[in-house]
Amino acid sequence: MDSLALGADLEPEPVVDEHSTVTLHVNGEPTTLTVDHRTTVLETLRESFGLTGAKKGCDHGQCGACTVLVDGRRVNSCLLLAVAQDGATITTVEGLADGGSLHPVQRAFVERDALQCGFCTPGQICSAVGMLREAADGHPSHVTRPDAAATRSEAAATGPVALDADEIRERMSGNLCRCGAYPRIVEAIEDVIE
């Protein structure tokens, strides 16, 4: 029998309140703040910085509504602990615009009306920006033709991947849109490529 079955008095474990000071470079502004070790980048952006573009959709990294760029790479901010990002450069949808001028992807989404309710749009835009950089850097996707990858590696190890509608859909597949704005999202991204 275990001690609970015998009615033994057990002392509860003490609650440990762990915090650390980190510096995050959010949308070009370095900020030092103290965060709880359990706090995600998403929670930090929304609660400490007041940046509400990234959304908490599923809180499991499955919908992409929380997508931001960390050191230029697209990530699900609901899965990243803020304490582990000390020194990182984080770009949110709010930080993509250059002053009063929208980022080309933001402008294309507006021009193509690539949204409906808008809940997923910030994550879609950040993911598209990151995806365009990945393709430009030569990172293949699941649908990249192997012969194209072989040719690229022979000619130049980091040659860009050509983006057609299939490549775009595959690369954006981690971002869900419950309204079904996918055709316009693909068109908006194609507009930026051209």
Side-chain angles (χ1 to χ4, degrees):
M1 270 200 205
D2 63 22
S3 59
L4 288 177
L6 296 174
D9 290 327
L10 297 177
E11 300 230 3
E13 292 185 28
V15 175
V16 179
D17 187 23
E18 294 292 333
H19 289 78
S20 290
T21 300
V22 297
T23 299
L24 302 175
H25 302 269
V26 178
N27 297 332
E29 296 291 326
T31 303
T32 300
L33 66 158
T34 301
V35 295
D36 184 297
H37 288 183
R38 301 165 295 179
T39 303
T40 65
V41 169
L42 176 62
E43 293 163 337
T44 302
L45 292 171
R46 293 181 63 83
E47 297 167 15
S48 298
F49 289 90
L51 298 171
T52 58
K55 306 290 191 289
K56 185 180 276 193
C58 66
D59 210 21
H60 295 285
Q62 297 173 347
C63 73
C66 67
T67 304
V68 298
L69 303 171
V70 174
D71 296 329
R73 303 282 316 240
R74 56 188 172 151
V75 298
N76 293 322
S77 63
C78 72
L79 297 179
L80 294 180
L81 294 175
V83 72
Q85 303 308 312
D86 188 23
T89 299
I90 300 172
T91 305
T92 68
V93 71
E94 295 94 340
L96 290 174
D98 185 15
S101 179
L102 292 177
H103 184 279
V105 174
Q106 290 172 312
R107 190 170 40 258
F109 267 63
V110 171
E111 290 170 357
R112 281 289 183 170
D113 198 24
L115 58 113
Q116 286 184 33
C117 79
F119 187 83
C120 72
T121 305
Q124 296 276 2
I125 289 172
C126 283
S127 188
V129 170
M131 178 271 297
L132 290 169
R133 183 173 293 128
E134 291 165 12
D137 289 344
H139 297 285
S141 78
H142 180 69
V143 298
T144 304
R145 288 190 357 249
D147 59 327
T151 303
R152 209 173 36 259
S153 65
E154 292 167 7
T158 58
V161 174
L163 292 173
D164 59 14
D166 287 337
E167 277 282 351
I168 293 169
R169 279 191 290 273
E170 171 63 26
R171 290 171 183 268
M172 294 294 293
S173 65
N175 290 78
L176 304 180
C177 173
R178 294 190 65 166
C179 299
Y182 297 117
R184 296 286 176 109
I185 291 169
V186 171
E187 291 169 0
I189 295 169
E190 288 175 326
D191 289 349
V192 173
I193 297 168
E194 294 172 359

